[in-house]
Amino acid sequence: MTGSSRYGVIRTPGGLSLRFRPRALVVAGGCLLLALALGVLLIGSGDFPMSPPDVVRTLLGNGAPADSLIVNQIRLPRVGTALAVGAALGLAGAIFQSLVRNPLGSPDMLGFSQGAATGVLAGIVLAGGGGLAVAGGAVGGGLLTGVLVYAVAGRHGAHGQRLILVGVGVAAILTGVNGYLLTRAKITDAARAVLWLTGSLDGRDWGDSGPLLVALAVLGPVVLVFCGRALRMLEMGDDAAHGLGVPIERVRLILLAAAVLLASFAAAAAGPVAFVALSAPQLARRLTRTAGPNLLPAACMGAALMVAADWVAQRAFPGHQLPVGVVTGLLGGGYLVWLLVTERRTGRI
Amino acid sequence: MTIRQHPTSGGTASPSDGPPLSGTETGGAAANGAASAGTALSDTVPGAAGDGTAGNGAAGNGARPPRLVGEGLTLAYDKRTIAEGLDVAVPDRSFTVIVGPNACGKSTLLRALARILKPAAGTVVLDGERIGAWPAKKLARTLGLLPQSSIAPEGITVADLVARGRYPHQGLLRQWSREDERVVAESMAATGVADLAERAVDELSGGQRQRVWIAMALAQQTPLLLLDEPTTYLDIAHQIEVLDLCADLHESGRTVVAVLHDLNHAARYATHLIALRDGRIAAEGAPGEVVTAELVREVFRLPCRVIEDPETGTPLVVPAARR
Amino acid sequence: MSSVPLGSPQVFHATSAQSPPRTAPPEEPAPRPSAAAARPPASRRSVRAAGLAVSVLLLLAVLVLSLAVGARPLSLGDAWRGLYDSGSPAYTVVHEMRLPRTLLGLLAGAALGLAGAVMQALTRNPLADPGLLGINAGAAAVVVTAISFLGIGSFTGFVWFAFAGAGAVAVLLYAVGGGRGATPARLALAGSALNAALFSYVNAVQLLDTASLDRMRFWTVGSLASAQTYTIERVAPFVLAGLVLALLLARPLNALAMGDDSARALGANPARTRVGAIAAVTLLCGAATAACGPIVFVGLMVPHFVRALTGPDLRWLLPYCAVLSPVLMLGADVLGRVVVRPSELQVGIVMVVLGGPVFLYFVRRPRRLGTRRRASTGAAPEVAAP
């Protein structure tokens, strides 16, 4: 039974077979449960506290009408947005890290978050726009950055080193441009823009996260089911993957597009929340202890991280709510330093 | 001796089923005694060439048409041209070795034959069909490649890595058949890495790791196998170990094409030698005929004597003394 | 021992000019395609010296330009008179606005360019730039903390915090850059991640404190506009100290370029050189960032350009950088004053717009960055088990 000691296999008499890693499924399931449990806790907390059983009852449609209003109209959309943003960032981060073969290669390092931010700042500063301009700016900015990076890196260069370097350069340029746009803004707009740049879940409703949920529902299966195995082959280098019959350029283009879209829609919903895309795949892979992109566990881990960060953000300073991006930024920054110090010996960073 | 015949490309159904390995005799030099395990090899020989072209072609004796042919190849990276108008043919069931000085285009040629590098002009033809027209997975079931630089994903086990060689045989709903399992086990046995199955690839020595990669290429079950410098960075014992393994693969019926640095290794193991210099073929043919002092001087700019290898009788290049 | 070369092969090549004439070394195929490299060494040295003189002239021209150009353009004569004649109508403009700004550009430009060159030598990494790698952001983060939480408002107060931040990031980056198999891409990515972390922190602080946001949003893009004589007086000693230290390190850093073992074999002390280099980078970046905010790409562009002129010998490279970086810095500042008149574009922004494409060009150029084949591949026995 070589090669299958860590795998579960289901075979049908018709010659069909499915292979899966039980440990990865357990990790993914565990993270999902944790995310949902934290979500319930989060829904139950606030100025009008509710016990977790009450929350669950209300969510199932059997709660008191007053509870129902608070839960379904105010708090559930926020938690739902958090879950979706976390999952999208985790998935996008896992794809990027796998494609560039570096644990730091997440969309916030490679210019895509900055691109989304540029779009939003342009929307806020130049058009003085509201919610729709912000969301559209985020998606448009992210996508344009994706096209730019792909064009500069070149069709054959969209991997590893070249993609990283181009991404870093574009990120630096866009950071400068964002700073400039910020100086052009009125101070009230600037404050709003900085809040958005940090990443916040305040007052999010289904209208904010709707597009993201659609994107997740469409792109998630595409990535997980159809590209997952090819992505695993790509980790061995282009030549090896090519030798195994992976149409590398097509697969990579699909994956890049999906990751950029996921990151951009997540940014549209909650702003460029820092470091979830970086740390979720890393934490997930530490738990699954298997090589490979670990896409599903990373997505679930991202959701759990995001909800946990929002919980901390609301509770850390009583009477003072922080934007969720501050929490992920601080935690992620610490994690990054730890990663830099410990992982450098292996030469992977 | 430079055979540069253009094959009549046309639906030449190629002979396919490999003859069972007849008692592999590994040359006494096998390093860790790991390169033998010949019995398993015979099973891993693919039953079919390509995908259903299992027509039993006339069992030509020696006069088989080459399956893999490059015609008028111009190879270039960006603007830098490596080779122009190159014609190569890989004889079927041969152990073809490409040699030449650094930067002569050996690896580039191999990459073109494997469809990794698209030639700027000319075509590579496999089984009578332009290689660019082959569907990726079908090609990967016919032509295996051991690239020069492959990356072992961090923490991956030997068994997992070898199992990845089954990718071209798998699909969304056919992810891990009993056949896959059997072939992976056999490939590991054939390369002598079965004992390492659950070890992480990162922890292995260079020689072990190279055998794992070869096992992965083996698990692909291709009748043709291209190896890009399989012995680089290995010590002499491991080099011989890997080359013995390649010879075993060849004897079990595969067509093996390798790029090698060491001319003596090439002369000892190859059945067909292609010597490149500056992107053109300087000589081509059986090592016993091709490897001469003049050729070495022409190709490597090295004065030398060619004597008979006392072990195998193949040519042995001895560089001239300094005087 | 005075002229014993401690440097790279190119250094041997260059210094052999000091040995008696007519012993020109057998012509080695120079690895660099630049025109200067093809010349025989003796004339090459004089070309370098002449080039340096031309660079100084260029710097003087830009200094004058920076004094004259602005919202209220002055003729060269007016600018000159404004410099010394207190009765001249231009005196106030020149002394209150243009002169401090010009001097700050001179200091900050030299500091960042030198810091970039030293970083590149230290990490043996052509993409090292104090801004890109997060050193300036480190200084910025600590300065923002000092402003917001500790209520420190004076430059003298927060310059020390800037040093602390720059130094911490420099040490961390060196630790990463010195790691096994740290390629340019990996180091750049580590720097980008640090940048992201530090800027998200700066953002967070700004968010909690709108008043400081208003001040800091101009500072964090990098600007020379707010320069005051007072700031210059404070920042100059640090920059000068860093400048001297960096120039003194040229020779040992040359030796280090070939790797620790070769450096040791040549009699250099790698550990001491490294400490010195990190100290120099910290001084230069900390002072520059404290004075005008985090500015990216100066330290990347200038050394690259200079390397094409001088080759990799730091004894020439560093002085060239010290002279030409302010040219770029002041040129960008002047450009920023002109393009959107009557408003201004901060020099940090101009630098990004100019430097970004240059960076992408370097990245796209094949070979230059040496994506080493086979490096850290699974198949190579680089990490072989014992």
XYZ file of all heavy atoms in Angstrom, chain B residues 11 57 66 74 95 113 115 124 165:
63
model
N 1.999 8.186 -40.886
C 1.477 7.355 -39.796
C 2.184 6.016 -39.635
O 1.588 4.972 -39.837
N 3.477 -3.437 -34.715
C 4.224 -3.118 -35.921
C 5.155 -4.255 -36.273
O 5.518 -5.074 -35.434
N 12.857 5.609 -36.503
C 12.911 6.338 -35.240
C 11.552 6.928 -34.896
O 10.827 7.379 -35.781
C 13.942 7.432 -35.502
C 14.030 7.556 -36.974
C 13.670 6.232 -37.549
N 15.610 25.033 -35.309
C 16.331 26.229 -34.909
C 15.895 26.528 -33.486
O 14.715 26.725 -33.223
C 16.004 27.405 -35.835
O 16.453 27.076 -37.150
C 16.707 28.669 -35.367
N 19.688 3.570 -26.466
C 20.095 4.416 -25.358
C 20.932 5.512 -26.010
O 22.106 5.341 -26.284
C 20.914 3.609 -24.349
C 21.249 4.349 -23.083
C 21.677 3.648 -21.960
C 21.120 5.720 -22.977
C 21.982 4.305 -20.783
C 21.426 6.385 -21.803
C 21.860 5.670 -20.700
N 13.153 18.480 -27.727
C 12.584 17.159 -27.995
C 11.444 16.842 -27.029
O 10.532 16.095 -27.343
C 13.677 16.084 -27.885
C 14.738 16.109 -28.980
C 15.806 15.050 -28.720
C 14.109 15.902 -30.348
N 9.374 19.062 -25.895
C 8.339 20.085 -26.118
C 8.340 21.170 -25.056
O 7.407 21.964 -24.962
C 6.939 19.465 -26.185
C 5.973 20.350 -26.983
C 4.619 19.791 -27.092
N 3.900 19.780 -25.817
C 2.610 19.612 -25.706
N 1.875 19.427 -26.773
N 2.019 19.586 -24.542
N 9.459 19.025 -34.196
C 9.789 17.761 -33.548
C 8.608 16.829 -33.807
O 7.461 17.209 -33.608
C 9.999 17.946 -32.041
C 10.225 16.604 -31.375
C 11.166 18.868 -31.787
N 4.059 10.929 -10.468
C 4.321 10.503 -11.834
C 3.105 9.882 -12.497
O 3.062 9.726 -13.718
